[in-house]
């Protein structure tokens, strides 16, 4: 976090127009610190701060800003075409792609015209990949060597091109057609004899990503390896670029936010509720809530169908919320476990049969334990319905758990995000089922 005293100092320097001293102070900052400073400042002060950063720091600082802050910077720089063009051309290709894909099409096209011919070609290529594909994450800035290079020649090549590469921790080996044939850590090259050839130290053990695959495939690949970067190839094996671990961290954060919010029945991920507009927040939440309102009408219809039972044994009403909520809670727990396991790849579609048996056993134990608890309460409050509430508790917990476990599999099979099997949806289904089970049991036993 930016120190309050430092923030006051920066504001004082801006007020006094001490530009030289201000520039010296700003260019001692790390990119994330400069981004925090801009976030904590007004738009006017923020653009002054950004303008005084050197080109390298400005590029890295921009990448650390939130989308709405990036848009503000671009808007305020619009009057300075040279500065704006410098910024857009200096941005790392993957950071620039992430920024462009969030903008309206017309705005992106206008900004694309400010790029140099080579950068525009790169931006067009990356934006040409499907949304949420690995191709949108990658950067073409990497270092590649040929197998016939000696170690000494390889290091000469690395020194020549390393400044343009996103990372030099991994050096890629390609053939004359630019097909990827190996990926070597810089440590391996450092320990090798300078006169031996690259092909002498190759082991052909590497992990590569496909440009058209979903970004979640990159997350899995990074979680299973200890690499800071992974190569990206096309269907023919040609090396197209690399994806770095910091880009994957961003994907993980976005996916986690999206899944968490979908589990709460929010249509699309809301990055920052403080900055989001009221109308947008309303639109994201109202669709599911209305749908669930109409689903819950079934609960009312079922209650009306059992009016005679309720009239005969009024004490049944006391336990109704407790029983149906228990089924919904058990279902939400089960769904949370399944969604997480599916997302991590620990559970596959074929595993659902095995999991049913295990879930039945677990939910039976849970239901019996909770039935004992509710029976104690019923024995004091309404002894005549002890057996009804006990049996209902076991059945609702078991049915709720099975619904919570199976819904993520159903949505996955339908090619939908399993997080769409949200807690409110599961709760609504369990409410309807719980009412039916409760009063059916009461009708039979009473």
């Amino acid at each position: 976090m930016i120190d309050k005293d430092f923030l006051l100092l920066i504001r004082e320097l801006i007020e006094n127009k001490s530009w030289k001293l201000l520039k010296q102070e700003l260019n001692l900052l790390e990119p994330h610190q400069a981004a925090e400073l801009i976030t904590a400042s007004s738009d006017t002060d923020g653009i002054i701060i950004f303008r005084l950063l050197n080109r390298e720091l400005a590029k890295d600082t921009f990448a650390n800003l939130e989308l709405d802050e990036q848009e503000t910077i671009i808007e305020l720089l619009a009057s300075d075409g040279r500065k704006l063009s410098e910024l857009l051309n200096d941005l790392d290709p993957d950071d620039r792609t992430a920024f462009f894909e969030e903008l309206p099409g017309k705005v992106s096209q206008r900004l694309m015209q400010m790029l140099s011919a080579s950068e525009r070609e790169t931006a067009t290529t990356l934006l040409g990949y499907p949304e949420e594909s690995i191709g949108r994450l990658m950067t073409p800035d990497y270092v590649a060597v040929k197998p016939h290079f000696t170690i000494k020649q390889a290091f000469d090549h690395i020194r020549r091109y390393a400044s343009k590469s996103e990372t030099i921790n991994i050096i890629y080996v390609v053939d004359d057609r630019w097909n990827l044939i190996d990926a070597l850590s810089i440590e391996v090259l450092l320990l090798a004899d300078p006169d031996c050839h690259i092909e002498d130290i190759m082991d052909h053990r590497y992990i590569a990503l496909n440009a058209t695959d979903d970004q979640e495939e990159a997350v899995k690949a990074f979680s299973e390896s200890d690499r800071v970067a992974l190569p990206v190839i096309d269907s023919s094996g040609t090396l197209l670029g690399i994806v770095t671990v910091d880009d994957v961290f961003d994907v993980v954060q976005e996916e986690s936010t999206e899944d968490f919010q979908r589990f709460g029945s929010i249509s699309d991920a809301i990055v920052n509720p403080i900055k989001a507009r009221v109308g947008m927040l309303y639109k994201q939440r109202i669709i599911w809530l209305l749908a669930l309102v109409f689903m819950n009408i079934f609960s009312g219809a079922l209650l009306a169908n059992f009016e005679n039972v309720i009239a005969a044994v009024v004490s049944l009403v006391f336990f109704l919320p407790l029983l149906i909520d228990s089924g919904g809670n058990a279902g939400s727990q089960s769904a949370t476990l399944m969604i997480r396991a599916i997302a991590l790849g620990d559970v596959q579609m074929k595993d659902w049969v095995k999991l049913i048996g295990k879930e039945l056993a677990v939910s039976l134990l849970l239901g019996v334990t909770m039935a004992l608890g509710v029976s104690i309460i019923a024995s004091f409050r309404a002894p005549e319905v002890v057996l009804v509430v006990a049996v209902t508790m076991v059945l609702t917990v078991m049915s709720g758990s099975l619904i919570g476990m199976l819904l993520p599999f159903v949505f996955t099979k339908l090619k939908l995000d399993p997080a769409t099997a949200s807690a409110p949806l599961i709760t609504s289904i369990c409410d309807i089922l719980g009412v039916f089970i409760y009063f059916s049991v009461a009708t039979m036993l009473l």
Side-chain angles (χ1 to χ4, degrees), residues 27-52:
N27 286 287
L28 293 173
L29 298 174
E30 294 293 324
H32 72 276
Q33 293 174 319
E36 287 178 15
L37 182 60
I38 291 171
T39 300
S41 305
S42 65
D43 288 350
T44 303
D45 288 354
I47 195 63
I48 291 172
I49 292 168
F50 189 82
R51 282 176 176 274
L52 291 176

PDB file of all heavy atoms in Angstrom, residues 27-52:
ATOM      1  N   ASN A  27       9.853   7.980 -10.592  1.00  0.00           N
ATOM      2  CA  ASN A  27      10.598   6.974 -11.334  1.00  0.00           C
ATOM      3  C   ASN A  27      11.476   6.084 -10.454  1.00  0.00           C
ATOM      4  O   ASN A  27      12.209   5.236 -10.961  1.00  0.00           O
ATOM      5  CB  ASN A  27      11.416   7.629 -12.441  1.00  0.00           C
ATOM      6  CG  ASN A  27      10.540   8.084 -13.605  1.00  0.00           C
ATOM      7  OD1 ASN A  27      10.059   7.269 -14.372  1.00  0.00           O
ATOM      8  ND2 ASN A  27      10.296   9.381 -13.698  1.00  0.00           N
ATOM      9  N   LEU A  28      11.339   6.259  -9.147  1.00  0.00           N
ATOM     10  CA  LEU A  28      11.967   5.345  -8.189  1.00  0.00           C
ATOM     11  C   LEU A  28      10.997   4.240  -7.770  1.00  0.00           C
ATOM     12  O   LEU A  28      11.375   3.297  -7.078  1.00  0.00           O
ATOM     13  CB  LEU A  28      12.435   6.101  -6.939  1.00  0.00           C
ATOM     14  CG  LEU A  28      13.590   7.099  -7.135  1.00  0.00           C
ATOM     15  CD1 LEU A  28      13.831   7.886  -5.843  1.00  0.00           C
ATOM     16  CD2 LEU A  28      14.867   6.372  -7.559  1.00  0.00           C
ATOM     17  N   LEU A  29       9.736   4.375  -8.190  1.00  0.00           N
ATOM     18  CA  LEU A  29       8.693   3.438  -7.786  1.00  0.00           C
ATOM     19  C   LEU A  29       8.727   2.157  -8.620  1.00  0.00           C
ATOM     20  O   LEU A  29       9.200   2.154  -9.764  1.00  0.00           O
ATOM     21  CB  LEU A  29       7.310   4.081  -7.933  1.00  0.00           C
ATOM     22  CG  LEU A  29       7.013   5.313  -7.080  1.00  0.00           C
ATOM     23  CD1 LEU A  29       5.658   5.892  -7.460  1.00  0.00           C
ATOM     24  CD2 LEU A  29       7.043   4.963  -5.589  1.00  0.00           C
ATOM     25  N   GLU A  30       8.192   1.084  -8.038  1.00  0.00           N
ATOM     26  CA  GLU A  30       7.928  -0.144  -8.783  1.00  0.00           C
ATOM     27  C   GLU A  30       6.607   0.038  -9.538  1.00  0.00           C
ATOM     28  O   GLU A  30       5.764   0.860  -9.132  1.00  0.00           O
ATOM     29  CB  GLU A  30       7.825  -1.340  -7.830  1.00  0.00           C
ATOM     30  CG  GLU A  30       9.119  -1.697  -7.123  1.00  0.00           C
ATOM     31  CD  GLU A  30      10.173  -2.209  -8.092  1.00  0.00           C
ATOM     32  OE1 GLU A  30       9.805  -2.913  -9.063  1.00  0.00           O
ATOM     33  OE2 GLU A  30      11.355  -1.868  -7.897  1.00  0.00           O
ATOM     34  N   PRO A  31       6.382  -0.706 -10.632  1.00  0.00           N
ATOM     35  CA  PRO A  31       5.134  -0.543 -11.402  1.00  0.00           C
ATOM     36  C   PRO A  31       3.861  -0.669 -10.569  1.00  0.00           C
ATOM     37  O   PRO A  31       2.926   0.115 -10.730  1.00  0.00           O
ATOM     38  CB  PRO A  31       5.233  -1.658 -12.455  1.00  0.00           C
ATOM     39  CG  PRO A  31       6.691  -1.859 -12.638  1.00  0.00           C
ATOM     40  CD  PRO A  31       7.305  -1.638 -11.289  1.00  0.00           C
ATOM     41  N   HIS A  32       3.817  -1.657  -9.645  1.00  0.00           N
ATOM     42  CA  HIS A  32       2.599  -1.828  -8.851  1.00  0.00           C
ATOM     43  C   HIS A  32       2.394  -0.672  -7.883  1.00  0.00           C
ATOM     44  O   HIS A  32       1.267  -0.296  -7.570  1.00  0.00           O
ATOM     45  CB  HIS A  32       2.626  -3.163  -8.091  1.00  0.00           C
ATOM     46  CG  HIS A  32       3.592  -3.213  -6.952  1.00  0.00           C
ATOM     47  ND1 HIS A  32       4.937  -3.523  -7.112  1.00  0.00           N
ATOM     48  CD2 HIS A  32       3.421  -2.979  -5.614  1.00  0.00           C
ATOM     49  CE1 HIS A  32       5.533  -3.494  -5.944  1.00  0.00           C
ATOM     50  NE2 HIS A  32       4.654  -3.157  -5.020  1.00  0.00           N
ATOM     51  N   GLN A  33       3.501  -0.057  -7.414  1.00  0.00           N
ATOM     52  CA  GLN A  33       3.392   1.104  -6.525  1.00  0.00           C
ATOM     53  C   GLN A  33       2.870   2.323  -7.291  1.00  0.00           C
ATOM     54  O   GLN A  33       2.025   3.073  -6.786  1.00  0.00           O
ATOM     55  CB  GLN A  33       4.753   1.422  -5.906  1.00  0.00           C
ATOM     56  CG  GLN A  33       5.257   0.355  -4.942  1.00  0.00           C
ATOM     57  CD  GLN A  33       6.670   0.634  -4.466  1.00  0.00           C
ATOM     58  OE1 GLN A  33       7.537   1.046  -5.246  1.00  0.00           O
ATOM     59  NE2 GLN A  33       6.914   0.409  -3.178  1.00  0.00           N
ATOM     60  N   ALA A  34       3.391   2.505  -8.523  1.00  0.00           N
ATOM     61  CA  ALA A  34       2.919   3.622  -9.351  1.00  0.00           C
ATOM     62  C   ALA A  34       1.437   3.451  -9.677  1.00  0.00           C
ATOM     63  O   ALA A  34       0.672   4.424  -9.683  1.00  0.00           O
ATOM     64  CB  ALA A  34       3.743   3.696 -10.627  1.00  0.00           C
ATOM     65  N   ALA A  35       1.017   2.207  -9.935  1.00  0.00           N
ATOM     66  CA  ALA A  35      -0.397   1.932 -10.217  1.00  0.00           C
ATOM     67  C   ALA A  35      -1.265   2.249  -8.997  1.00  0.00           C
ATOM     68  O   ALA A  35      -2.341   2.838  -9.122  1.00  0.00           O
ATOM     69  CB  ALA A  35      -0.578   0.473 -10.633  1.00  0.00           C
ATOM     70  N   GLU A  36      -0.819   1.877  -7.808  1.00  0.00           N
ATOM     71  CA  GLU A  36      -1.550   2.177  -6.577  1.00  0.00           C
ATOM     72  C   GLU A  36      -1.653   3.686  -6.365  1.00  0.00           C
ATOM     73  O   GLU A  36      -2.689   4.193  -5.929  1.00  0.00           O
ATOM     74  CB  GLU A  36      -0.852   1.542  -5.377  1.00  0.00           C
ATOM     75  CG  GLU A  36      -1.010   0.035  -5.295  1.00  0.00           C
ATOM     76  CD  GLU A  36      -0.264  -0.562  -4.113  1.00  0.00           C
ATOM     77  OE1 GLU A  36       0.127   0.207  -3.199  1.00  0.00           O
ATOM     78  OE2 GLU A  36      -0.054  -1.787  -4.091  1.00  0.00           O
ATOM     79  N   LEU A  37      -0.579   4.404  -6.691  1.00  0.00           N
ATOM     80  CA  LEU A  37      -0.565   5.858  -6.534  1.00  0.00           C
ATOM     81  C   LEU A  37      -1.584   6.517  -7.463  1.00  0.00           C
ATOM     82  O   LEU A  37      -2.323   7.421  -7.063  1.00  0.00           O
ATOM     83  CB  LEU A  37       0.841   6.391  -6.814  1.00  0.00           C
ATOM     84  CG  LEU A  37       1.051   7.904  -6.660  1.00  0.00           C
ATOM     85  CD1 LEU A  37       0.734   8.348  -5.233  1.00  0.00           C
ATOM     86  CD2 LEU A  37       2.482   8.281  -7.028  1.00  0.00           C
ATOM     87  N   ILE A  38      -1.637   6.049  -8.710  1.00  0.00           N
ATOM     88  CA  ILE A  38      -2.605   6.590  -9.674  1.00  0.00           C
ATOM     89  C   ILE A  38      -4.033   6.283  -9.219  1.00  0.00           C
ATOM     90  O   ILE A  38      -4.918   7.130  -9.302  1.00  0.00           O
ATOM     91  CB  ILE A  38      -2.336   6.009 -11.078  1.00  0.00           C
ATOM     92  CG1 ILE A  38      -1.017   6.569 -11.622  1.00  0.00           C
ATOM     93  CG2 ILE A  38      -3.483   6.330 -12.035  1.00  0.00           C
ATOM     94  CD1 ILE A  38      -0.545   5.914 -12.907  1.00  0.00           C
ATOM     95  N   THR A  39      -4.254   5.072  -8.716  1.00  0.00           N
ATOM     96  CA  THR A  39      -5.583   4.678  -8.222  1.00  0.00           C
ATOM     97  C   THR A  39      -6.025   5.558  -7.059  1.00  0.00           C
ATOM     98  O   THR A  39      -7.202   5.919  -6.956  1.00  0.00           O
ATOM     99  CB  THR A  39      -5.567   3.201  -7.776  1.00  0.00           C
ATOM    100  OG1 THR A  39      -5.211   2.380  -8.897  1.00  0.00           O
ATOM    101  CG2 THR A  39      -6.920   2.770  -7.241  1.00  0.00           C
ATOM    102  N   ALA A  40      -5.079   5.918  -6.187  1.00  0.00           N
ATOM    103  CA  ALA A  40      -5.398   6.724  -5.000  1.00  0.00           C
ATOM    104  C   ALA A  40      -5.530   8.214  -5.314  1.00  0.00           C
ATOM    105  O   ALA A  40      -5.938   8.993  -4.453  1.00  0.00           O
ATOM    106  CB  ALA A  40      -4.328   6.511  -3.931  1.00  0.00           C
ATOM    107  N   SER A  41      -5.197   8.618  -6.544  1.00  0.00           N
ATOM    108  CA  SER A  41      -5.221  10.029  -6.918  1.00  0.00           C
ATOM    109  C   SER A  41      -6.453  10.356  -7.756  1.00  0.00           C
ATOM    110  O   SER A  41      -7.131   9.455  -8.269  1.00  0.00           O
ATOM    111  CB  SER A  41      -3.952  10.386  -7.715  1.00  0.00           C
ATOM    112  OG  SER A  41      -2.781  10.051  -6.995  1.00  0.00           O
ATOM    113  N   SER A  42      -6.736  11.630  -7.898  1.00  0.00           N
ATOM    114  CA  SER A  42      -7.832  12.061  -8.769  1.00  0.00           C
ATOM    115  C   SER A  42      -7.429  11.823 -10.220  1.00  0.00           C
ATOM    116  O   SER A  42      -6.253  11.578 -10.521  1.00  0.00           O
ATOM    117  CB  SER A  42      -8.111  13.548  -8.547  1.00  0.00           C
ATOM    118  OG  SER A  42      -6.985  14.317  -8.952  1.00  0.00           O
ATOM    119  N   ASP A  43      -8.404  11.886 -11.139  1.00  0.00           N
ATOM    120  CA  ASP A  43      -8.096  11.686 -12.557  1.00  0.00           C
ATOM    121  C   ASP A  43      -7.064  12.685 -13.046  1.00  0.00           C
ATOM    122  O   ASP A  43      -6.143  12.336 -13.793  1.00  0.00           O
ATOM    123  CB  ASP A  43      -9.374  11.812 -13.397  1.00  0.00           C
ATOM    124  CG  ASP A  43     -10.293  10.621 -13.209  1.00  0.00           C
ATOM    125  OD1 ASP A  43      -9.863   9.625 -12.598  1.00  0.00           O
ATOM    126  OD2 ASP A  43     -11.446  10.688 -13.677  1.00  0.00           O
ATOM    127  N   THR A  44      -7.195  13.939 -12.605  1.00  0.00           N
ATOM    128  CA  THR A  44      -6.259  14.997 -13.037  1.00  0.00           C
ATOM    129  C   THR A  44      -4.853  14.703 -12.545  1.00  0.00           C
ATOM    130  O   THR A  44      -3.880  14.744 -13.317  1.00  0.00           O
ATOM    131  CB  THR A  44      -6.711  16.366 -12.502  1.00  0.00           C
ATOM    132  OG1 THR A  44      -8.042  16.614 -12.948  1.00  0.00           O
ATOM    133  CG2 THR A  44      -5.793  17.467 -13.007  1.00  0.00           C
ATOM    134  N   ASP A  45      -4.726  14.388 -11.245  1.00  0.00           N
ATOM    135  CA  ASP A  45      -3.401  14.074 -10.692  1.00  0.00           C
ATOM    136  C   ASP A  45      -2.867  12.774 -11.288  1.00  0.00           C
ATOM    137  O   ASP A  45      -1.665  12.643 -11.544  1.00  0.00           O
ATOM    138  CB  ASP A  45      -3.468  13.954  -9.169  1.00  0.00           C
ATOM    139  CG  ASP A  45      -3.657  15.303  -8.485  1.00  0.00           C
ATOM    140  OD1 ASP A  45      -3.617  16.331  -9.197  1.00  0.00           O
ATOM    141  OD2 ASP A  45      -3.844  15.329  -7.250  1.00  0.00           O
ATOM    142  N   GLY A  46      -3.781  11.811 -11.505  1.00  0.00           N
ATOM    143  CA  GLY A  46      -3.368  10.520 -12.030  1.00  0.00           C
ATOM    144  C   GLY A  46      -2.723  10.632 -13.406  1.00  0.00           C
ATOM    145  O   GLY A  46      -1.701   9.997 -13.672  1.00  0.00           O
ATOM    146  N   ILE A  47      -3.291  11.459 -14.288  1.00  0.00           N
ATOM    147  CA  ILE A  47      -2.718  11.602 -15.629  1.00  0.00           C
ATOM    148  C   ILE A  47      -1.411  12.367 -15.589  1.00  0.00           C
ATOM    149  O   ILE A  47      -0.490  12.096 -16.367  1.00  0.00           O
ATOM    150  CB  ILE A  47      -3.733  12.278 -16.600  1.00  0.00           C
ATOM    151  CG1 ILE A  47      -3.291  12.088 -18.059  1.00  0.00           C
ATOM    152  CG2 ILE A  47      -3.918  13.745 -16.285  1.00  0.00           C
ATOM    153  CD1 ILE A  47      -3.249  10.657 -18.520  1.00  0.00           C
ATOM    154  N   ILE A  48      -1.277  13.298 -14.659  1.00  0.00           N
ATOM    155  CA  ILE A  48       0.008  14.002 -14.480  1.00  0.00           C
ATOM    156  C   ILE A  48       1.077  13.009 -14.052  1.00  0.00           C
ATOM    157  O   ILE A  48       2.194  13.000 -14.583  1.00  0.00           O
ATOM    158  CB  ILE A  48      -0.128  15.133 -13.438  1.00  0.00           C
ATOM    159  CG1 ILE A  48      -1.006  16.263 -13.985  1.00  0.00           C
ATOM    160  CG2 ILE A  48       1.243  15.675 -13.034  1.00  0.00           C
ATOM    161  CD1 ILE A  48      -1.357  17.327 -12.969  1.00  0.00           C
ATOM    162  N   ILE A  49       0.728  12.184 -13.072  1.00  0.00           N
ATOM    163  CA  ILE A  49       1.676  11.170 -12.589  1.00  0.00           C
ATOM    164  C   ILE A  49       2.078  10.241 -13.728  1.00  0.00           C
ATOM    165  O   ILE A  49       3.262   9.959 -13.933  1.00  0.00           O
ATOM    166  CB  ILE A  49       1.046  10.365 -11.425  1.00  0.00           C
ATOM    167  CG1 ILE A  49       0.877  11.255 -10.196  1.00  0.00           C
ATOM    168  CG2 ILE A  49       1.878   9.133 -11.090  1.00  0.00           C
ATOM    169  CD1 ILE A  49       0.008  10.660  -9.108  1.00  0.00           C
ATOM    170  N   PHE A  50       1.085   9.783 -14.502  1.00  0.00           N
ATOM    171  CA  PHE A  50       1.373   8.837 -15.578  1.00  0.00           C
ATOM    172  C   PHE A  50       2.267   9.465 -16.647  1.00  0.00           C
ATOM    173  O   PHE A  50       3.178   8.815 -17.167  1.00  0.00           O
ATOM    174  CB  PHE A  50       0.067   8.358 -16.210  1.00  0.00           C
ATOM    175  CG  PHE A  50       0.254   7.218 -17.169  1.00  0.00           C
ATOM    176  CD1 PHE A  50       0.353   5.915 -16.704  1.00  0.00           C
ATOM    177  CD2 PHE A  50       0.341   7.440 -18.536  1.00  0.00           C
ATOM    178  CE1 PHE A  50       0.543   4.862 -17.584  1.00  0.00           C
ATOM    179  CE2 PHE A  50       0.527   6.399 -19.414  1.00  0.00           C
ATOM    180  CZ  PHE A  50       0.632   5.100 -18.940  1.00  0.00           C
ATOM    181  N   ARG A  51       2.021  10.720 -16.984  1.00  0.00           N
ATOM    182  CA  ARG A  51       2.811  11.394 -18.019  1.00  0.00           C
ATOM    183  C   ARG A  51       4.282  11.540 -17.622  1.00  0.00           C
ATOM    184  O   ARG A  51       5.162  11.583 -18.490  1.00  0.00           O
ATOM    185  CB  ARG A  51       2.236  12.796 -18.295  1.00  0.00           C
ATOM    186  CG  ARG A  51       0.995  12.795 -19.171  1.00  0.00           C
ATOM    187  CD  ARG A  51       0.456  14.202 -19.297  1.00  0.00           C
ATOM    188  NE  ARG A  51      -0.682  14.282 -20.206  1.00  0.00           N
ATOM    189  CZ  ARG A  51      -0.588  14.438 -21.513  1.00  0.00           C
ATOM    190  NH1 ARG A  51       0.601  14.523 -22.082  1.00  0.00           N
ATOM    191  NH2 ARG A  51      -1.669  14.505 -22.267  1.00  0.00           N
ATOM    192  N   LEU A  52       4.547  11.628 -16.315  1.00  0.00           N
ATOM    193  CA  LEU A  52       5.913  11.850 -15.848  1.00  0.00           C
ATOM    194  C   LEU A  52       6.706  10.561 -15.667  1.00  0.00           C
ATOM    195  O   LEU A  52       7.891  10.600 -15.361  1.00  0.00           O
ATOM    196  CB  LEU A  52       5.900  12.634 -14.532  1.00  0.00           C
ATOM    197  CG  LEU A  52       5.430  14.095 -14.653  1.00  0.00           C
ATOM    198  CD1 LEU A  52       5.351  14.742 -13.286  1.00  0.00           C
ATOM    199  CD2 LEU A  52       6.379  14.893 -15.556  1.00  0.00           C
TER     200      LEU A  52
END
